[in-house]
Amino acid sequence: MKKAAIIVAGGFGTRIGGDIPKQFQQIGGKPIVLWALEAFYRFDPEMKLILVIPEQHFNAWTSIKNEYNPPFTVSHVKGGPERFYSVQNGLSALGDEELIAIHDGVRPFIDEITIRRCFEAAEKT
């Protein structure tokens, strides 16, 4: 089955502070959102990856892609005023994928076992 992951990273990080949105702050030498994307890529390199971010963060994401040169392709789409609309925009960017994961882009420590279990449960139901 064709799979996709929508990584929603639309926050501005006002509670965490700083000039950089939390999804672009670094942990272990990489932006947080990159860890989340890599987890889904490692699980299935054929999976379509969609990153949903505010339009004003498009340039920041392009800079991150250029600097870190991830081994996968990520389509980025504009987020909405609330998470519901951001997810909806991510879904609109998909084609005929049959199983879709939706993940918070500032949760970088998701592991492959959890991803696998979620997709297996989705496939069954």
Side-chain angles (χ1 to χ4, degrees):
M1 291 187 138
K2 292 169 89 176
K3 296 177 184 70
I6 298 172
I7 309 299
V8 184
F12 289 91
T14 52
R15 290 181 308 218
I16 198 169
D19 296 332
I20 301 170
K22 61 185 170 185
Q23 62 269 32
F24 300 140
Q25 291 187 15
Q26 291 198 7
I27 293 178
K30 285 190 278 197
I32 291 172
V33 71
L34 206 50
W35 288 102
L37 287 161
E38 286 176 351
F40 284 90
Y41 171 74
R42 279 191 313 271
F43 169 71
D44 181 354
E46 301 299 316
M47 182 182 303
K48 185 169 187 175
L49 300 173
I50 304 289
L51 177 63
V52 184
I53 54 175
E55 189 171 26
Q56 59 264 45
H57 294 163
F58 282 9
N59 288 338
W61 171 244
T62 299
S63 294
I64 288 169
K65 281 194 320 185
N66 291 339
E67 181 177 348
Y68 293 90
N69 195 26
F72 46 85
T73 301
V74 179
S75 300
H76 64 278
V77 298
K78 179 183 172 186
E82 296 176 14
R83 185 170 301 269
F84 170 86
Y85 298 106
S86 293
V87 171
Q88 188 176 46
N89 291 351
L91 289 168
S92 296
L94 293 175
D96 59 351
E97 288 74 21
E98 297 178 36
L99 294 175
I100 302 164
I102 299 171
H103 184 69
D104 187 331
V106 295
R107 305 291 179 249
F109 302 121
I110 186 157
D111 57 56
E112 292 179 53
I113 293 169
T114 302
I115 295 170
R116 180 177 322 285
R117 287 179 181 166
C118 289
F119 274 112
E120 286 172 353
E123 192 169 5
K124 288 178 186 175
T125 60

